[in-house]
Amino acid sequence: MPEFQPRVFSGVQPTGNLHLGNYLGAITKFVALQETHDCIYCVVDLHAITVPQNPAELKASIREVTAAFLAAGIDAKKHIVFNQSQVSEHAELAWVLNCVARLGWLTRMTQFKEKAGKDRENVSVGLYAYPILMAADILVYRATHVPVGEDQKQHLELARDIAQKFNLDFGEEIVALGHGDAFFPLPEPLIQGPATRVMSLRDGTKKMSKSDPSDYSRINLSDDADTIAQKIRKAKTDPEPLPREVEGLAKRPEAENLVGIFAALEGRSKAEVLEAYGGGNFSTFKSALIDLTVAKLTPIGEAMAKLAQDQAHIDAVLEDGAARARVLAAETMKAVKDIVGFVR
Ligand code: TYM
């Protein structure tokens, strides 16, 4: 493998409310990685239309996710923030990778199985091919590191398989064209910390998700302090006091989830949180969790609301980011065309 320039890429879908899971699993990591890496953060609107969207709401959601990135502290001048559909190379590379990936690989994707449910014959082809577009998103920048929540792990493994198969299938051309023995890096997932899988506040065995019909299952980045307090107070718990050791969280999914959220918000480990709160009851712990969540999230929600009033600014950020992303993506596509054997 040649030495690839370290580069971070990740994406968030513009579909409905951003929640605490997106924030702790992904966005806080995006913010931290800016210190050490060149980063590209993408609002993945092409992914959103794999299920039906209302076009007016889609536009609003694209701007809302962009606002959330900026409000959380992503620097769109030093790094790149844009929406996927403005850089056509994502779709173009996805086609080439469609011809590299194998049908059987996609059939194993658990997220597709979950999303398609029993009505498989009736979902879009896009929903099935979704992980290939995701691989293209990453590989079109030859990104080396991808911060995501635990739920994206399998998709990242697929992206690595696709990159590797491309490198093997076109090995001779890659060497002949002077790229060394591999054109694409095998992108590394970054899935770390105490909240890589934030669970529903109503059921600790289910992932916190945008599509849960109960708004009490999640904390949205746009929730105000009262709403956050109410949701945490109503969050499901169990009758035992909090354990003093992390091992005591086993088989107590709700307790584990709340402790994980606390730890991630405060930048501590679960063990440290339990040192402070273990042995105590949930009501004391929940009060502290409410204060912490309100302190961390409401400034972001307020900044998002402010940014939402300046649509021209958001659109300008996306346009500028897309222009810079396009330069990098076009360079990759040119090389891919030469490798595959297209005349250009
Ligand atoms: P999406 O839009 O569903 O979620 C955005 C990010 O939030 C993380 N996440 C969570 N993390 C912890 N706990 C949760 N309950 C939780 N829910 C969501 C997700 O893991 C993700 O990191 N396919 C991707 C978007 C995408 C992408 C990419 C990501 C498209 N192309 C390329 C990385 C690289 C998705 O649907 O994420």
Side-chain angles (χ1 to χ4, degrees):
M1 271 274 166
E3 274 282 312
F4 289 96
Q5 186 192 332
R7 182 177 281 156
V8 167
F9 179 93
S10 198
V12 174
Q13 286 203 61
T15 44
N17 287 327
L18 283 177
H19 53 71
L20 187 63
N22 301 125
Y23 180 67
L24 294 178
I27 297 172
T28 54
K29 314 285 173 63
F30 297 0
V31 174
L33 284 161
Q34 299 183 110
E35 302 301 321
T36 49
H37 288 74
D38 288 333
C39 304
I40 304 175
Y41 296 128
C42 184
V43 185
V44 291
D45 47 11
L46 296 178
H47 279 92
I49 63 162
T50 54
V51 297
Q53 300 291 337
N54 170 319
E57 283 172 19
L58 179 59
K59 276 205 167 89
S61 295
I62 293 166
R63 293 182 175 122
E64 191 183 327
V65 174
T66 310
F69 283 176
L70 303 179
I74 291 171
D75 184 339
K77 289 210 175 79
K78 281 202 189 127
H79 300 273
I80 294 181
V81 170
F82 74 107
N83 59 314
Q84 193 183 21
S85 61
Q86 290 208 54
V87 180
S88 53
E89 284 81 358
H90 288 243
E92 203 177 354
L93 180 59
W95 180 260
V96 175
L97 300 183
N98 273 334
C99 302
V100 172
R102 304 291 93 182
L103 212 61
W105 297 359
L106 289 180
T107 314
R108 286 198 287 273
M109 293 294 114
T110 51
Q111 201 161 76
F112 173 74
K113 289 186 205 162
E114 275 166 30
K115 284 198 179 167
K118 290 204 176 72
D119 201 14
R120 238 192 239 196
E121 294 294 308
N122 227 353
V123 297
S124 75
V125 176
L127 190 68
Y128 188 67
Y130 177 116
I132 299 180
L133 178 60
M134 191 167 152
D137 297 339
I138 300 163
L139 298 176
V140 85
Y141 302 102
R142 302 213 271 169
T144 52
H145 295 86
V146 185
V148 282
E150 173 74 33
D151 62 340
Q152 296 300 318
K153 191 167 174 220
Q154 196 186 29
H155 289 158
L156 258 294
E157 281 160 9
L158 184 81
R160 290 168 65 90
D161 289 345
I162 293 173
Q164 186 150 33
K165 185 161 189 300
F166 182 94
N167 289 340
L168 288 174
D169 287 357
F170 297 102
E172 266 178 42
E173 292 77 9
I174 289 170
V175 172
L177 289 164
H179 298 292
D181 61 356
F183 180 70
F184 287 125
L186 306 187
E188 210 180 293
L190 300 176
I191 306 173
Q192 290 147 352
T196 56
R197 189 175 175 81
V198 177
M199 309 308 273
S200 157
L201 298 181
R202 309 252 70 188
D203 176 352
T205 63
K206 265 178 38 192
K207 193 179 71 176
M208 183 178 285
S209 116
K210 296 169 189 171
S211 54
D212 193 312
S214 165
D215 200 50
Y216 275 91
S217 68
R218 66 185 156 258
I219 294 172
N220 304 306
L221 290 189
S222 54
D223 284 345
D224 62 20
D226 285 347
T227 311
I228 292 173
Q230 222 173 23
K231 286 178 175 176
I232 293 179
R233 248 181 243 120
K234 281 195 183 228
K236 188 176 169 197
T237 53
D238 58 41
E240 303 294 318
L242 278 167
R244 291 183 196 278
E245 317 262 315
V246 175
E247 296 71 44
L249 292 171
K251 303 217 174 77
R252 296 180 65 185
E254 285 82 17
E256 168 142 46
N257 189 38
L258 295 179
V259 170
I261 290 172
F262 196 109
L265 282 172
E266 237 195 4
R268 289 202 279 172
S269 65
K270 287 182 191 171
E272 286 168 320
V273 173
L274 291 178
E275 258 170 47
Y277 294 96
N281 59 28
F282 273 103
S283 72
T284 315
F285 177 69
K286 278 186 169 180
S287 297
L289 181 59
I290 289 170
D291 291 345
L292 178 61
T293 312
V294 167
K296 293 280 178 185
L297 290 197
T298 53
I300 296 173
E302 283 161 18
M304 279 171 69
K306 226 184 203 169
L307 281 161
Q309 288 167 5
D310 194 353
Q311 192 178 302
H313 171 64
I314 299 280
D315 291 3
V317 165
L318 292 173
E319 197 184 328
D320 169 65
R324 288 185 287 132
R326 221 175 277 131
V327 173
L328 301 170
E331 206 180 303
T332 305
M333 263 331 285
K334 262 195 209 163
V336 166
K337 285 182 179 174
D338 290 343
I339 291 168
V340 169
F342 294 156
V343 175
R344 63 173 180 89

